[in-house]
Amino acid sequence: MVKVRAGGEEKPEREEVVEPLEEPTPERRKERREEPPPRKKPEKISA
Amino acid sequence: MIIPDRVGTIVGYRVWRVIPGKWVALSESLHAQTCQRSWSTTGPTVAYCPPRIQGDPNKPLVMSGSCEEAPGFGCACGLYARYEPTEEEHLLPYVMGSVLAWGRVVHHEDRSFFRAEKALPVAFVRPRGGSGVFPGEAEEKLYCIVEALGAGMVEDPEELRAYTEVEARKW
């Protein structure tokens, strides 16, 4: 029996499931790019 | 419902082949480097495992089943990407770029790559020339793909890495 597989011998080490809170899409990426960066809180200066 | 092992995305780097010309739709113009499978130009690409043919010279061809969920751990399916960008320059129609990947991910750390269930191209390295039959058309098509994906265009692998890591932190 000849088994032909793309990529040859693969030898995987481990697997995991990674999920973003919100899936990236081109539209969401554009929206986030247009959002202004978060403002820094002013530092408290002791008198 | 599958409970994720962690939240976020994985950064990867890979090479695509741009199919030049107006006779091929934009949606069919970003291919894997070595096979005829196209990546989505409007959203994340989702991996699937095609049925395979196993050949034995003395028996009829056998069609083996595909993985229930791609990428299968012991299979070769999935969306491939390397953990690190390569310094190698690619001439059109080949173009190097980066992806954010998520979903089921099979790691091949020993061989410096992973296979993912879903991936979205993030940025491409501006090509420095072409070797194909229609390098001008391939470049034009690449800019249309970049625009459709809302992706970035960077000058070299180092900038690609920096750009992609910033993008990954947003998710």
Side-chain angles (χ1 to χ4, degrees):
Chain A
M1 174 85 66
V2 181
K3 283 187 181 177
V4 180
R5 272 189 163 180
E9 193 64 36
E10 296 299 330
K11 290 182 185 168
E13 278 92 39
R14 64 185 177 92
E15 67 181 325
E16 63 175 343
V17 177
V18 183
E19 289 294 347
L21 292 173
E22 192 177 28
E23 285 206 348
T25 63
E27 292 75 27
R28 286 183 190 142
R29 282 178 46 211
K30 284 175 193 169
E31 281 166 18
R32 289 189 183 200
R33 213 172 290 154
E34 283 156 16
E35 280 173 14
R39 279 188 183 179
K40 278 186 181 176
K41 284 184 182 174
E43 284 179 28
K44 283 183 183 175
I45 301 164
S46 55
Chain B
M1 181 185 162
I2 297 170
I3 298 166
D5 297 299
R6 62 188 172 100
V7 172
T9 58
I10 294 177
V11 168
Y13 303 90
R14 55 167 293 132
V15 176
W16 288 273
R17 185 159 52 96
V18 177
I19 310 299
K22 289 170 186 164
W23 61 90
V24 179
L26 189 66
S27 59
E28 300 290 323
S29 298
L30 188 64
H31 277 213
Q33 190 179 7
T34 54
C35 69
Q36 294 296 325
R37 205 164 301 161
S38 63
W39 277 58
S40 172
T41 55
T42 54
T45 296
V46 181
Y48 76 99
C49 183
R52 290 182 175 79
I53 294 170
Q54 293 182 348
D56 182 338
N58 304 315
K59 293 178 184 172
L61 287 174
V62 177
M63 188 82 92
S64 66
S66 51
C67 297
E68 228 168 75
E69 288 170 320
F73 189 74
C75 191
C77 61
L79 304 170
Y80 282 64
R82 298 175 63 87
Y83 298 109
E84 298 289 333
T86 57
E87 290 298 321
E88 192 185 339
E89 257 196 22
H90 295 276
L91 297 175
L92 283 167
Y94 300 101
V95 60
M96 187 166 74
S98 58
V99 295
L100 294 180
W102 66 96
R104 182 182 296 275
V105 180
V106 178
H107 294 274
H108 298 251
E109 280 144 356
D110 192 37
R111 296 188 60 199
S112 312
F113 71 89
F114 61 83
R115 294 181 285 127
E117 181 185 353
K118 297 176 189 173
L120 179 70
V122 171
F124 298 89
V125 176
R126 193 183 306 280
R128 301 274 176 242
S131 61
V133 184
F134 304 106
E137 285 86 343
E139 190 170 6
E140 199 178 305
K141 187 66 83 69
L142 175 61
Y143 288 118
C144 294
I145 291 167
V146 168
E147 178 65 29
L149 283 167
M153 185 68 97
V154 299
E155 301 303 321
D156 56 56
E158 270 317 301
E159 196 185 342
L160 179 69
R161 185 204 297 270
Y163 184 99
T164 310
E165 282 172 3
V166 169
E167 278 289 319
R169 282 199 284 271
K170 297 175 185 171
W171 306 94

